[in-house]
Amino acid sequence: MGQEKFIFEFSGKKIEKGAFQWSAPSNIALVKYWGKKEHQIPANPSLSFTLTNCKTITKLDFQLKEASGISFDLFFDGQPKEEFKPKIQKFLERIVNYCPYIKDYHFIIHTENTFPHSSGIASSASGMAALAVNLMQLEKALNPNLTEEFFNQKASFLARLGSGSACRSISGEVVVWGTHPEISGSSDYFGVPFDGQLHTVFKNYQDVILLVDKGEKKVSSTVGHDLMHNHPFAQQRFEQAPENLSKLKKALESGDLETFIAIVESEALTLHAMMMTSMPYFILMKPNTLQIIECIWSFRSQFKVPLCFTLDAGANVHLLFPKKDCEKVLEFVENTLAPLCQNGHYIVDEMGFGAKKML
Ligand code: PMV
């Protein structure tokens, strides 16, 4: 099944103007995507938990115009944001062949994040996902026959072209992106909801994000992905990720927390090991990232709470644990881990369902 099905065919319907508003959450990868081929095709499949509280809210106003071409104004937190425009321009240029109606409209895009701008939490996943669902809402207005499945697949397909991991922020609690023999319908072109039966222990799984370093990353993920070309361990890594995904799938279905923890922590450290063994090499963890990991390991062995960590491409630490252990973990966070965070800041989040229509 190719990408051709995502090319919009003119339905004959024109809409003068209107507005939509959607929110889309961030997601946290458990099996990491690191390394890609041309056109945002991942070098290996990945699996993520969708979040709830960390999200982008985007309103899209559209008005039919005379001249054909890409045209938009961008506001972030109510203020014009010129420096974000090139990224959006590039995104719209990449998707215009699939959504030619974009050229018929002038857009006013209002966007805001629920998490602080300089928190070290990447807003590209939720941001691109929120814009993609809005555009799909316009496409649905032009072609009301779209099925929900197609809507979600194409929204994910478009979001991927904006930022790879954004394709996992559209729909589903657990999302897999990248072809994998054990995940039915999985594709390199878009994310699909995990098709297994999620064990009850993972329902509303908690994610406390410890903000260790809120600064701009020294090395962007674009550069990091690129360094996987000619990386001495890339091939082994691209073979390991699908194997880990198979093991994690079983653990998610059986509720085997021991395996879950082992895979998730190993994936996080492997991601950073890939960074440290790139040429040029780089380190995104900070001293407090390591100290937090030490604290998590001793807390886990002392109190027998199935608390584990994962890391994204930065210094922040995501604490993952079952909802029933909330009280004990939050006390540990407050007393021991918050002092290791920048200004004591952390965000409490949990697994969610994906993008939501607001208007
Ligand atoms: O979507 P990108 O290009 O920002 O890459 C994201 C990479 C990781 O967050 C490190 C891993 C992942 O799978 O989300």
PDB file of all heavy atoms in Angstrom, residues 187-224:
ATOM      1  N   SER A 187       3.097   0.671   9.495  1.00  0.00           N
ATOM      2  CA  SER A 187       3.588   1.290   8.267  1.00  0.00           C
ATOM      3  C   SER A 187       4.724   2.267   8.574  1.00  0.00           C
ATOM      4  O   SER A 187       4.761   2.863   9.661  1.00  0.00           O
ATOM      5  CB  SER A 187       2.433   2.057   7.612  1.00  0.00           C
ATOM      6  OG  SER A 187       2.901   2.899   6.594  1.00  0.00           O
ATOM      7  N   ASP A 188       5.612   2.430   7.613  1.00  0.00           N
ATOM      8  CA  ASP A 188       6.659   3.450   7.751  1.00  0.00           C
ATOM      9  C   ASP A 188       6.093   4.850   7.506  1.00  0.00           C
ATOM     10  O   ASP A 188       6.727   5.840   7.838  1.00  0.00           O
ATOM     11  CB  ASP A 188       7.779   3.204   6.724  1.00  0.00           C
ATOM     12  CG  ASP A 188       8.659   2.022   7.123  1.00  0.00           C
ATOM     13  OD1 ASP A 188       8.577   1.572   8.283  1.00  0.00           O
ATOM     14  OD2 ASP A 188       9.423   1.555   6.258  1.00  0.00           O
ATOM     15  N   TYR A 189       4.890   4.907   6.927  1.00  0.00           N
ATOM     16  CA  TYR A 189       4.319   6.203   6.521  1.00  0.00           C
ATOM     17  C   TYR A 189       3.484   6.889   7.594  1.00  0.00           C
ATOM     18  O   TYR A 189       3.253   8.078   7.543  1.00  0.00           O
ATOM     19  CB  TYR A 189       3.448   6.032   5.275  1.00  0.00           C
ATOM     20  CG  TYR A 189       4.210   5.550   4.071  1.00  0.00           C
ATOM     21  CD1 TYR A 189       3.749   4.471   3.327  1.00  0.00           C
ATOM     22  CD2 TYR A 189       5.389   6.176   3.672  1.00  0.00           C
ATOM     23  CE1 TYR A 189       4.439   4.025   2.213  1.00  0.00           C
ATOM     24  CE2 TYR A 189       6.081   5.736   2.569  1.00  0.00           C
ATOM     25  CZ  TYR A 189       5.614   4.655   1.833  1.00  0.00           C
ATOM     26  OH  TYR A 189       6.302   4.220   0.745  1.00  0.00           O
ATOM     27  N   PHE A 190       2.968   6.093   8.546  1.00  0.00           N
ATOM     28  CA  PHE A 190       2.112   6.693   9.584  1.00  0.00           C
ATOM     29  C   PHE A 190       2.095   5.796  10.823  1.00  0.00           C
ATOM     30  O   PHE A 190       2.461   4.615  10.747  1.00  0.00           O
ATOM     31  CB  PHE A 190       0.672   6.911   9.071  1.00  0.00           C
ATOM     32  CG  PHE A 190       0.076   5.701   8.387  1.00  0.00           C
ATOM     33  CD1 PHE A 190      -0.524   4.697   9.117  1.00  0.00           C
ATOM     34  CD2 PHE A 190       0.129   5.577   7.002  1.00  0.00           C
ATOM     35  CE1 PHE A 190      -1.069   3.581   8.484  1.00  0.00           C
ATOM     36  CE2 PHE A 190      -0.407   4.460   6.353  1.00  0.00           C
ATOM     37  CZ  PHE A 190      -1.009   3.458   7.108  1.00  0.00           C
ATOM     38  N   GLY A 191       1.666   6.377  11.934  1.00  0.00           N
ATOM     39  CA  GLY A 191       1.566   5.611  13.174  1.00  0.00           C
ATOM     40  C   GLY A 191       0.223   4.894  13.235  1.00  0.00           C
ATOM     41  O   GLY A 191      -0.768   5.386  12.689  1.00  0.00           O
ATOM     42  N   VAL A 192       0.203   3.733  13.883  1.00  0.00           N
ATOM     43  CA  VAL A 192      -1.075   3.016  14.069  1.00  0.00           C
ATOM     44  C   VAL A 192      -1.245   2.694  15.556  1.00  0.00           C
ATOM     45  O   VAL A 192      -0.258   2.435  16.249  1.00  0.00           O
ATOM     46  CB  VAL A 192      -1.142   1.696  13.255  1.00  0.00           C
ATOM     47  CG1 VAL A 192      -1.161   1.967  11.761  1.00  0.00           C
ATOM     48  CG2 VAL A 192      -0.001   0.743  13.607  1.00  0.00           C
ATOM     49  N   PRO A 193      -2.503   2.710  16.031  1.00  0.00           N
ATOM     50  CA  PRO A 193      -2.712   2.328  17.425  1.00  0.00           C
ATOM     51  C   PRO A 193      -2.270   0.882  17.631  1.00  0.00           C
ATOM     52  O   PRO A 193      -2.495   0.039  16.765  1.00  0.00           O
ATOM     53  CB  PRO A 193      -4.232   2.471  17.619  1.00  0.00           C
ATOM     54  CG  PRO A 193      -4.702   3.312  16.484  1.00  0.00           C
ATOM     55  CD  PRO A 193      -3.752   3.099  15.352  1.00  0.00           C
ATOM     56  N   PHE A 194      -1.613   0.617  18.756  1.00  0.00           N
ATOM     57  CA  PHE A 194      -1.167  -0.723  19.138  1.00  0.00           C
ATOM     58  C   PHE A 194      -2.368  -1.658  19.093  1.00  0.00           C
ATOM     59  O   PHE A 194      -3.406  -1.364  19.683  1.00  0.00           O
ATOM     60  CB  PHE A 194      -0.608  -0.619  20.558  1.00  0.00           C
ATOM     61  CG  PHE A 194      -0.170  -1.912  21.168  1.00  0.00           C
ATOM     62  CD1 PHE A 194       0.912  -2.602  20.654  1.00  0.00           C
ATOM     63  CD2 PHE A 194      -0.818  -2.419  22.287  1.00  0.00           C
ATOM     64  CE1 PHE A 194       1.342  -3.792  21.246  1.00  0.00           C
ATOM     65  CE2 PHE A 194      -0.399  -3.600  22.886  1.00  0.00           C
ATOM     66  CZ  PHE A 194       0.679  -4.291  22.358  1.00  0.00           C
ATOM     67  N   ASP A 195      -2.221  -2.763  18.377  1.00  0.00           N
ATOM     68  CA  ASP A 195      -3.398  -3.615  18.164  1.00  0.00           C
ATOM     69  C   ASP A 195      -3.567  -4.706  19.225  1.00  0.00           C
ATOM     70  O   ASP A 195      -4.548  -5.424  19.227  1.00  0.00           O
ATOM     71  CB  ASP A 195      -3.344  -4.256  16.757  1.00  0.00           C
ATOM     72  CG  ASP A 195      -2.115  -5.144  16.582  1.00  0.00           C
ATOM     73  OD1 ASP A 195      -1.158  -4.996  17.369  1.00  0.00           O
ATOM     74  OD2 ASP A 195      -2.108  -5.966  15.657  1.00  0.00           O
ATOM     75  N   GLY A 196      -2.615  -4.806  20.158  1.00  0.00           N
ATOM     76  CA  GLY A 196      -2.729  -5.833  21.201  1.00  0.00           C
ATOM     77  C   GLY A 196      -3.681  -5.399  22.309  1.00  0.00           C
ATOM     78  O   GLY A 196      -4.135  -4.259  22.347  1.00  0.00           O
ATOM     79  N   GLN A 197      -3.947  -6.325  23.211  1.00  0.00           N
ATOM     80  CA  GLN A 197      -4.801  -6.018  24.369  1.00  0.00           C
ATOM     81  C   GLN A 197      -3.889  -5.502  25.483  1.00  0.00           C
ATOM     82  O   GLN A 197      -3.111  -6.274  26.049  1.00  0.00           O
ATOM     83  CB  GLN A 197      -5.523  -7.326  24.787  1.00  0.00           C
ATOM     84  CG  GLN A 197      -6.533  -7.161  25.899  1.00  0.00           C
ATOM     85  CD  GLN A 197      -7.747  -6.363  25.452  1.00  0.00           C
ATOM     86  OE1 GLN A 197      -8.228  -6.522  24.335  1.00  0.00           O
ATOM     87  NE2 GLN A 197      -8.226  -5.484  26.317  1.00  0.00           N
ATOM     88  N   LEU A 198      -4.004  -4.221  25.774  1.00  0.00           N
ATOM     89  CA  LEU A 198      -3.145  -3.621  26.795  1.00  0.00           C
ATOM     90  C   LEU A 198      -3.547  -4.126  28.175  1.00  0.00           C
ATOM     91  O   LEU A 198      -4.717  -4.036  28.559  1.00  0.00           O
ATOM     92  CB  LEU A 198      -3.302  -2.094  26.715  1.00  0.00           C
ATOM     93  CG  LEU A 198      -2.264  -1.235  27.401  1.00  0.00           C
ATOM     94  CD1 LEU A 198      -0.892  -1.429  26.775  1.00  0.00           C
ATOM     95  CD2 LEU A 198      -2.675   0.232  27.308  1.00  0.00           C
ATOM     96  N   HIS A 199      -2.585  -4.671  28.936  1.00  0.00           N
ATOM     97  CA  HIS A 199      -2.878  -5.191  30.277  1.00  0.00           C
ATOM     98  C   HIS A 199      -3.361  -4.051  31.179  1.00  0.00           C
ATOM     99  O   HIS A 199      -2.894  -2.911  31.040  1.00  0.00           O
ATOM    100  CB  HIS A 199      -1.610  -5.826  30.859  1.00  0.00           C
ATOM    101  CG  HIS A 199      -1.841  -6.582  32.118  1.00  0.00           C
ATOM    102  ND1 HIS A 199      -1.872  -5.986  33.364  1.00  0.00           N
ATOM    103  CD2 HIS A 199      -2.080  -7.901  32.324  1.00  0.00           C
ATOM    104  CE1 HIS A 199      -2.095  -6.905  34.278  1.00  0.00           C
ATOM    105  NE2 HIS A 199      -2.235  -8.080  33.673  1.00  0.00           N
ATOM    106  N   THR A 200      -4.243  -4.372  32.120  1.00  0.00           N
ATOM    107  CA  THR A 200      -4.848  -3.312  32.954  1.00  0.00           C
ATOM    108  C   THR A 200      -3.809  -2.507  33.739  1.00  0.00           C
ATOM    109  O   THR A 200      -4.058  -1.339  34.043  1.00  0.00           O
ATOM    110  CB  THR A 200      -5.873  -3.890  33.953  1.00  0.00           C
ATOM    111  OG1 THR A 200      -5.257  -5.000  34.597  1.00  0.00           O
ATOM    112  CG2 THR A 200      -7.150  -4.307  33.266  1.00  0.00           C
ATOM    113  N   VAL A 201      -2.662  -3.128  34.072  1.00  0.00           N
ATOM    114  CA  VAL A 201      -1.666  -2.375  34.856  1.00  0.00           C
ATOM    115  C   VAL A 201      -1.185  -1.131  34.094  1.00  0.00           C
ATOM    116  O   VAL A 201      -0.761  -0.134  34.691  1.00  0.00           O
ATOM    117  CB  VAL A 201      -0.466  -3.290  35.252  1.00  0.00           C
ATOM    118  CG1 VAL A 201       0.457  -3.545  34.074  1.00  0.00           C
ATOM    119  CG2 VAL A 201       0.322  -2.693  36.410  1.00  0.00           C
ATOM    120  N   PHE A 202      -1.304  -1.169  32.758  1.00  0.00           N
ATOM    121  CA  PHE A 202      -0.834  -0.023  31.959  1.00  0.00           C
ATOM    122  C   PHE A 202      -1.911   1.036  31.721  1.00  0.00           C
ATOM    123  O   PHE A 202      -1.625   2.074  31.135  1.00  0.00           O
ATOM    124  CB  PHE A 202      -0.270  -0.503  30.615  1.00  0.00           C
ATOM    125  CG  PHE A 202       0.990  -1.320  30.782  1.00  0.00           C
ATOM    126  CD1 PHE A 202       0.989  -2.691  30.567  1.00  0.00           C
ATOM    127  CD2 PHE A 202       2.164  -0.711  31.189  1.00  0.00           C
ATOM    128  CE1 PHE A 202       2.139  -3.442  30.750  1.00  0.00           C
ATOM    129  CE2 PHE A 202       3.328  -1.450  31.377  1.00  0.00           C
ATOM    130  CZ  PHE A 202       3.313  -2.818  31.154  1.00  0.00           C
ATOM    131  N   LYS A 203      -3.132   0.773  32.180  1.00  0.00           N
ATOM    132  CA  LYS A 203      -4.196   1.766  31.991  1.00  0.00           C
ATOM    133  C   LYS A 203      -3.848   3.023  32.785  1.00  0.00           C
ATOM    134  O   LYS A 203      -3.456   2.927  33.948  1.00  0.00           O
ATOM    135  CB  LYS A 203      -5.552   1.204  32.472  1.00  0.00           C
ATOM    136  CG  LYS A 203      -6.119   0.164  31.531  1.00  0.00           C
ATOM    137  CD  LYS A 203      -6.803   0.809  30.320  1.00  0.00           C
ATOM    138  CE  LYS A 203      -7.093  -0.248  29.269  1.00  0.00           C
ATOM    139  NZ  LYS A 203      -7.208   0.242  27.912  1.00  0.00           N
ATOM    140  N   ASN A 204      -3.984   4.164  32.179  1.00  0.00           N
ATOM    141  CA  ASN A 204      -3.634   5.453  32.809  1.00  0.00           C
ATOM    142  C   ASN A 204      -2.221   5.447  33.366  1.00  0.00           C
ATOM    143  O   ASN A 204      -1.955   6.037  34.415  1.00  0.00           O
ATOM    144  CB  ASN A 204      -4.600   5.811  33.951  1.00  0.00           C
ATOM    145  CG  ASN A 204      -6.031   5.807  33.518  1.00  0.00           C
ATOM    146  OD1 ASN A 204      -6.756   4.846  33.762  1.00  0.00           O
ATOM    147  ND2 ASN A 204      -6.433   6.864  32.871  1.00  0.00           N
ATOM    148  N   TYR A 205      -1.311   4.770  32.700  1.00  0.00           N
ATOM    149  CA  TYR A 205       0.077   4.731  33.176  1.00  0.00           C
ATOM    150  C   TYR A 205       0.574   6.161  33.361  1.00  0.00           C
ATOM    151  O   TYR A 205       0.249   7.067  32.582  1.00  0.00           O
ATOM    152  CB  TYR A 205       0.950   3.963  32.173  1.00  0.00           C
ATOM    153  CG  TYR A 205       1.987   3.091  32.853  1.00  0.00           C
ATOM    154  CD1 TYR A 205       1.604   2.019  33.652  1.00  0.00           C
ATOM    155  CD2 TYR A 205       3.350   3.339  32.709  1.00  0.00           C
ATOM    156  CE1 TYR A 205       2.549   1.217  34.294  1.00  0.00           C
ATOM    157  CE2 TYR A 205       4.297   2.539  33.340  1.00  0.00           C
ATOM    158  CZ  TYR A 205       3.891   1.485  34.133  1.00  0.00           C
ATOM    159  OH  TYR A 205       4.818   0.689  34.766  1.00  0.00           O
ATOM    160  N   GLN A 206       1.341   6.377  34.403  1.00  0.00           N
ATOM    161  CA  GLN A 206       1.761   7.734  34.768  1.00  0.00           C
ATOM    162  C   GLN A 206       3.116   8.086  34.155  1.00  0.00           C
ATOM    163  O   GLN A 206       3.991   7.224  34.012  1.00  0.00           O
ATOM    164  CB  GLN A 206       1.864   7.852  36.296  1.00  0.00           C
ATOM    165  CG  GLN A 206       0.576   7.517  37.018  1.00  0.00           C
ATOM    166  CD  GLN A 206      -0.501   8.555  36.783  1.00  0.00           C
ATOM    167  OE1 GLN A 206      -0.352   9.705  37.172  1.00  0.00           O
ATOM    168  NE2 GLN A 206      -1.592   8.164  36.127  1.00  0.00           N
ATOM    169  N   ASP A 207       3.275   9.363  33.830  1.00  0.00           N
ATOM    170  CA  ASP A 207       4.563   9.869  33.341  1.00  0.00           C
ATOM    171  C   ASP A 207       4.838  11.203  34.045  1.00  0.00           C
ATOM    172  O   ASP A 207       4.144  12.196  33.792  1.00  0.00           O
ATOM    173  CB  ASP A 207       4.511  10.080  31.811  1.00  0.00           C
ATOM    174  CG  ASP A 207       5.836  10.603  31.248  1.00  0.00           C
ATOM    175  OD1 ASP A 207       6.807  10.766  32.030  1.00  0.00           O
ATOM    176  OD2 ASP A 207       5.904  10.844  30.030  1.00  0.00           O
ATOM    177  N   VAL A 208       5.788  11.190  34.963  1.00  0.00           N
ATOM    178  CA  VAL A 208       6.200  12.448  35.596  1.00  0.00           C
ATOM    179  C   VAL A 208       7.476  12.903  34.884  1.00  0.00           C
ATOM    180  O   VAL A 208       8.463  12.164  34.827  1.00  0.00           O
ATOM    181  CB  VAL A 208       6.438  12.270  37.110  1.00  0.00           C
ATOM    182  CG1 VAL A 208       7.076  13.526  37.697  1.00  0.00           C
ATOM    183  CG2 VAL A 208       5.129  11.966  37.819  1.00  0.00           C
ATOM    184  N   ILE A 209       7.412  14.094  34.307  1.00  0.00           N
ATOM    185  CA  ILE A 209       8.557  14.589  33.530  1.00  0.00           C
ATOM    186  C   ILE A 209       9.391  15.511  34.413  1.00  0.00           C
ATOM    187  O   ILE A 209       8.918  16.565  34.858  1.00  0.00           O
ATOM    188  CB  ILE A 209       8.077  15.337  32.261  1.00  0.00           C
ATOM    189  CG1 ILE A 209       7.071  14.454  31.495  1.00  0.00           C
ATOM    190  CG2 ILE A 209       9.259  15.709  31.370  1.00  0.00           C
ATOM    191  CD1 ILE A 209       6.275  15.207  30.450  1.00  0.00           C
ATOM    192  N   LEU A 210      10.603  15.075  34.687  1.00  0.00           N
ATOM    193  CA  LEU A 210      11.498  15.843  35.553  1.00  0.00           C
ATOM    194  C   LEU A 210      12.306  16.797  34.677  1.00  0.00           C
ATOM    195  O   LEU A 210      13.056  16.358  33.789  1.00  0.00           O
ATOM    196  CB  LEU A 210      12.434  14.890  36.302  1.00  0.00           C
ATOM    197  CG  LEU A 210      11.718  13.833  37.158  1.00  0.00           C
ATOM    198  CD1 LEU A 210      12.696  12.755  37.606  1.00  0.00           C
ATOM    199  CD2 LEU A 210      11.038  14.469  38.376  1.00  0.00           C
ATOM    200  N   LEU A 211      12.107  18.083  34.888  1.00  0.00           N
ATOM    201  CA  LEU A 211      12.746  19.083  34.011  1.00  0.00           C
ATOM    202  C   LEU A 211      14.157  19.390  34.531  1.00  0.00           C
ATOM    203  O   LEU A 211      14.360  20.304  35.333  1.00  0.00           O
ATOM    204  CB  LEU A 211      11.877  20.337  33.930  1.00  0.00           C
ATOM    205  CG  LEU A 211      10.426  20.066  33.478  1.00  0.00           C
ATOM    206  CD1 LEU A 211       9.605  21.349  33.465  1.00  0.00           C
ATOM    207  CD2 LEU A 211      10.379  19.403  32.112  1.00  0.00           C
ATOM    208  N   VAL A 212      15.100  18.597  34.085  1.00  0.00           N
ATOM    209  CA  VAL A 212      16.482  18.698  34.560  1.00  0.00           C
ATOM    210  C   VAL A 212      17.186  19.894  33.932  1.00  0.00           C
ATOM    211  O   VAL A 212      17.961  20.591  34.562  1.00  0.00           O
ATOM    212  CB  VAL A 212      17.241  17.390  34.226  1.00  0.00           C
ATOM    213  CG1 VAL A 212      18.719  17.514  34.570  1.00  0.00           C
ATOM    214  CG2 VAL A 212      16.618  16.219  34.975  1.00  0.00           C
ATOM    215  N   ASP A 213      16.879  20.117  32.652  1.00  0.00           N
ATOM    216  CA  ASP A 213      17.531  21.226  31.954  1.00  0.00           C
ATOM    217  C   ASP A 213      16.557  21.800  30.948  1.00  0.00           C
ATOM    218  O   ASP A 213      16.133  21.108  30.033  1.00  0.00           O
ATOM    219  CB  ASP A 213      18.793  20.724  31.246  1.00  0.00           C
ATOM    220  CG  ASP A 213      19.572  21.873  30.637  1.00  0.00           C
ATOM    221  OD1 ASP A 213      19.879  22.826  31.366  1.00  0.00           O
ATOM    222  OD2 ASP A 213      19.839  21.825  29.425  1.00  0.00           O
ATOM    223  N   LYS A 214      16.213  23.069  31.156  1.00  0.00           N
ATOM    224  CA  LYS A 214      15.184  23.662  30.302  1.00  0.00           C
ATOM    225  C   LYS A 214      15.768  24.380  29.089  1.00  0.00           C
ATOM    226  O   LYS A 214      15.049  24.975  28.305  1.00  0.00           O
ATOM    227  CB  LYS A 214      14.352  24.656  31.119  1.00  0.00           C
ATOM    228  CG  LYS A 214      13.713  24.035  32.356  1.00  0.00           C
ATOM    229  CD  LYS A 214      12.794  25.049  32.986  1.00  0.00           C
ATOM    230  CE  LYS A 214      12.420  24.684  34.397  1.00  0.00           C
ATOM    231  NZ  LYS A 214      11.621  25.733  35.028  1.00  0.00           N
ATOM    232  N   GLY A 215      17.072  24.347  28.950  1.00  0.00           N
ATOM    233  CA  GLY A 215      17.715  25.099  27.862  1.00  0.00           C
ATOM    234  C   GLY A 215      17.529  24.456  26.502  1.00  0.00           C
ATOM    235  O   GLY A 215      17.058  23.329  26.395  1.00  0.00           O
ATOM    236  N   GLU A 216      17.886  25.211  25.474  1.00  0.00           N
ATOM    237  CA  GLU A 216      17.896  24.678  24.097  1.00  0.00           C
ATOM    238  C   GLU A 216      18.886  23.526  24.035  1.00  0.00           C
ATOM    239  O   GLU A 216      19.969  23.607  24.625  1.00  0.00           O
ATOM    240  CB  GLU A 216      18.418  25.749  23.130  1.00  0.00           C
ATOM    241  CG  GLU A 216      17.445  26.706  22.485  1.00  0.00           C
ATOM    242  CD  GLU A 216      16.386  26.121  21.599  1.00  0.00           C
ATOM    243  OE1 GLU A 216      16.733  25.668  20.499  1.00  0.00           O
ATOM    244  OE2 GLU A 216      15.205  26.150  22.003  1.00  0.00           O
ATOM    245  N   LYS A 217      18.539  22.483  23.283  1.00  0.00           N
ATOM    246  CA  LYS A 217      19.478  21.369  23.132  1.00  0.00           C
ATOM    247  C   LYS A 217      20.682  21.815  22.302  1.00  0.00           C
ATOM    248  O   LYS A 217      20.530  22.585  21.360  1.00  0.00           O
ATOM    249  CB  LYS A 217      18.799  20.226  22.383  1.00  0.00           C
ATOM    250  CG  LYS A 217      17.887  19.417  23.256  1.00  0.00           C
ATOM    251  CD  LYS A 217      17.382  18.216  22.511  1.00  0.00           C
ATOM    252  CE  LYS A 217      16.420  18.613  21.411  1.00  0.00           C
ATOM    253  NZ  LYS A 217      15.644  17.492  20.891  1.00  0.00           N
ATOM    254  N   LYS A 218      21.854  21.277  22.639  1.00  0.00           N
ATOM    255  CA  LYS A 218      23.072  21.666  21.901  1.00  0.00           C
ATOM    256  C   LYS A 218      23.095  21.022  20.517  1.00  0.00           C
ATOM    257  O   LYS A 218      23.635  21.570  19.572  1.00  0.00           O
ATOM    258  CB  LYS A 218      24.316  21.265  22.675  1.00  0.00           C
ATOM    259  CG  LYS A 218      24.411  21.991  24.008  1.00  0.00           C
ATOM    260  CD  LYS A 218      25.768  22.652  24.233  1.00  0.00           C
ATOM    261  CE  LYS A 218      25.709  23.699  25.301  1.00  0.00           C
ATOM    262  NZ  LYS A 218      25.038  23.287  26.539  1.00  0.00           N
ATOM    263  N   VAL A 219      22.508  19.819  20.416  1.00  0.00           N
ATOM    264  CA  VAL A 219      22.467  19.126  19.125  1.00  0.00           C
ATOM    265  C   VAL A 219      21.002  18.788  18.839  1.00  0.00           C
ATOM    266  O   VAL A 219      20.343  18.130  19.652  1.00  0.00           O
ATOM    267  CB  VAL A 219      23.321  17.832  19.163  1.00  0.00           C
ATOM    268  CG1 VAL A 219      23.291  17.117  17.821  1.00  0.00           C
ATOM    269  CG2 VAL A 219      24.756  18.153  19.555  1.00  0.00           C
ATOM    270  N   SER A 220      20.495  19.238  17.692  1.00  0.00           N
ATOM    271  CA  SER A 220      19.085  19.010  17.372  1.00  0.00           C
ATOM    272  C   SER A 220      18.873  17.547  16.995  1.00  0.00           C
ATOM    273  O   SER A 220      19.818  16.847  16.622  1.00  0.00           O
ATOM    274  CB  SER A 220      18.673  19.886  16.194  1.00  0.00           C
ATOM    275  OG  SER A 220      19.298  19.402  15.019  1.00  0.00           O
ATOM    276  N   SER A 221      17.588  17.083  17.054  1.00  0.00           N
ATOM    277  CA  SER A 221      17.381  15.677  16.672  1.00  0.00           C
ATOM    278  C   SER A 221      17.623  15.473  15.176  1.00  0.00           C
ATOM    279  O   SER A 221      18.042  14.389  14.770  1.00  0.00           O
ATOM    280  CB  SER A 221      16.032  15.126  17.131  1.00  0.00           C
ATOM    281  OG  SER A 221      15.028  16.037  17.045  1.00  0.00           O
ATOM    282  N   THR A 222      17.416  16.516  14.365  1.00  0.00           N
ATOM    283  CA  THR A 222      17.717  16.381  12.927  1.00  0.00           C
ATOM    284  C   THR A 222      19.184  15.997  12.733  1.00  0.00           C
ATOM    285  O   THR A 222      19.508  15.068  11.982  1.00  0.00           O
ATOM    286  CB  THR A 222      17.437  17.727  12.205  1.00  0.00           C
ATOM    287  OG1 THR A 222      16.139  18.152  12.580  1.00  0.00           O
ATOM    288  CG2 THR A 222      17.548  17.615  10.710  1.00  0.00           C
ATOM    289  N   VAL A 223      20.068  16.703  13.428  1.00  0.00           N
ATOM    290  CA  VAL A 223      21.502  16.402  13.323  1.00  0.00           C
ATOM    291  C   VAL A 223      21.780  15.012  13.896  1.00  0.00           C
ATOM    292  O   VAL A 223      22.522  14.208  13.321  1.00  0.00           O
ATOM    293  CB  VAL A 223      22.340  17.494  14.049  1.00  0.00           C
ATOM    294  CG1 VAL A 223      23.802  17.100  14.131  1.00  0.00           C
ATOM    295  CG2 VAL A 223      22.172  18.829  13.351  1.00  0.00           C
ATOM    296  N   GLY A 224      21.154  14.703  15.036  1.00  0.00           N
ATOM    297  CA  GLY A 224      21.345  13.393  15.678  1.00  0.00           C
ATOM    298  C   GLY A 224      20.940  12.237  14.771  1.00  0.00           C
ATOM    299  O   GLY A 224      21.686  11.262  14.629  1.00  0.00           O
TER     300      GLY A 224
END
